Amino acid sequence: GCPSTPLLPVRRSVPTYAWPHCRGEMSAHIIFASHHKTGTAVLNDVAQTVAQILELDIEKKLSRSRPGHGSSFHEAPDWSRSLHLYQTFDSDAWRAIVSSRETQSRVRLVHLVRDPVETVISGYWYHCRTGDTGTVPIDSEALVQLDTEDGLEVEAAAVLESTIPEMQAAAGAAKDSDRRVLRLGLEAFTDDWEGTLARVWDFLADSSEMYTEDLRDQFLDLASMATPDPEHVTARHSKEVARQIIAESGAAVWDKVRAARASIGYRELCPGVWRREAKTDQWLDKHCES
């Protein structure tokens, strides 16, 4: 059956407070970008909190334009706003952002990706329990009728045609070496929520004097008050069931999904534990058995 108990620390429902007007001039355009099931809800909360603290208007960019909801992610940003939230992102979106000489040096991109295998697992359970099946070629009722192994393979085939190529294209265009880019794996938030929030703030702070230490403290305090949204969280047990099925499966689709990890910056710390930007022995101690 579909999961019901949210256990991972994904944050939603950010409280609202009135903050004093920020002094200084916003010198950068902030881009927050994710992909379907790579942490859109998490990044939305982070973006909303930054916007609230700095009193910025958000432009939402969707996978396709919907009246009253946002513009397509391939359309050039509305530069009259300073914060742009992309729920889908690829190389064409990045080119549209940096095509203007006036703005290209002023962009700061926070790009959220996810281990492709975990993206498939999260997408499968999410599509099982909601009517939003995204790029999956069957509806949720038909997906639930399949056994879990077959359903995961259907999800994997869809992700290989959509989210994985988008992550690869975006990572290839907006490179980690670009000082305008901070790419994070969703796992960074689940492993160290406050530390990763601090990384985001400090990355943005490099672009403007508006990011004072006082505002940094307020941002971290406010973001820590966010609460989970059950619709966007999969129960730990359900994930473990799916991981075991995938580990024992001989289907070729899983080799393709696993092979995509390296192209978006993931590496294996120890058997079965994949992370981006694992730079310290502390990560190895935390995730690997001695």
Side-chain angles (χ1 to χ4, degrees):
C2 291
S4 60
T5 307
L7 295 176
L8 286 179
V10 177
R11 309 316 208 257
R12 289 284 287 169
S13 304
V14 177
T16 301
Y17 296 95
W19 296 99
H21 181 69
C22 303
R23 298 184 180 276
E25 181 180 352
M26 174 60 67
S27 59
H29 285 279
I30 304 168
I31 312 291
F32 286 105
S34 61
H35 310 269
H36 185 54
K37 301 315 296 175
T38 72
T40 300
V42 170
L43 206 61
N44 179 73
D45 285 345
V46 175
Q48 294 285 353
T49 308
V50 170
Q52 185 176 334
I53 293 292
L54 298 179
E55 298 183 351
L56 304 176
D57 290 331
I58 296 180
E59 177 192 21
K60 290 190 176 183
K61 308 286 276 185
L62 308 177
S63 57
R64 58 188 181 277
S65 182
R66 290 189 293 171
H69 290 82
S71 58
S72 168
F73 73 109
H74 280 157
E75 297 174 12
D78 175 3
W79 295 120
S80 68
R81 304 187 189 188
S82 293
L83 197 154
H84 314 270
L85 179 62
Y86 283 69
Q87 296 182 352
T88 307
F89 196 70
D90 64 7
S91 55
D92 289 337
W94 178 243
R95 281 192 286 270
I97 289 168
V98 298
S99 61
S100 169
R101 289 186 178 182
E102 181 181 352
T103 59
Q104 62 184 214
S105 64
R106 298 166 54 200
V107 167
R108 293 295 180 272
L109 167 67
V110 178
H111 180 209
L112 191 60
V113 295
R114 190 176 193 176
D115 177 346
V117 175
E118 295 299 310
T119 301
V120 172
I121 293 171
S122 178
Y124 168 70
W125 289 119
Y126 175 77
H127 295 143
C128 264
R129 65 177 183 265
T130 72
D132 174 17
T133 51
T135 59
V136 179
I138 59 178
D139 61 27
S140 58
E141 287 189 14
L143 190 62
V144 170
Q145 293 302 313
L146 298 175
D147 65 38
T148 303
E149 182 172 1
D150 289 341
L152 284 165
E153 290 180 18
V154 168
E155 182 74 34
V159 171
L160 280 166
E161 295 294 325
S162 54
T163 304
I164 286 176
E166 287 170 7
M167 287 195 289
Q168 291 172 321
K175 299 183 182 300
D176 283 309
S177 58
D178 191 326
R179 67 177 182 82
R180 300 170 297 180
V181 176
L182 174 63
R183 186 154 22 254
L184 297 168
L186 179 61
E187 303 80 14
F189 282 102
T190 57
D191 289 336
D192 183 5
W193 174 253
E194 292 186 2
T196 305
L197 288 172
R199 284 186 65 190
V200 171
W201 182 269
D202 293 342
F203 167 72
L204 299 176
D206 188 47
S207 65
S208 173
E209 294 181 356
M210 289 183 67
Y211 297 85
T212 65
E213 282 298 315
D214 181 54
L215 290 179
R216 183 183 192 272
D217 292 341
Q218 293 176 1
F219 167 72
L220 295 176
D221 287 345
L222 185 59
S224 69
M225 297 179 189
T227 55
D229 179 355
E231 186 174 279
H232 289 273
V233 185
T234 301
R236 184 175 300 166
H237 172 72
S238 297
K239 290 190 175 186
E240 290 298 335
V241 168
R243 288 171 186 146
Q244 187 65 32
I245 289 172
I246 293 168
E248 296 174 358
S249 172
V253 69
W254 297 117
D255 291 333
K256 295 178 182 179
V257 173
R258 294 185 190 101
R261 284 166 161 162
S263 61
I264 53 175
Y266 279 80
R267 69 184 182 93
E268 193 171 30
L269 299 186
C270 55
V273 178
W274 289 78
R275 290 291 186 272
R276 277 188 51 87
E277 303 179 27
K279 299 178 180 177
T280 68
D281 291 337
Q282 186 176 15
W283 281 68
L284 293 173
D285 292 341
K286 183 173 182 179
H287 294 290
C288 302
E289 295 180 3
S290 57

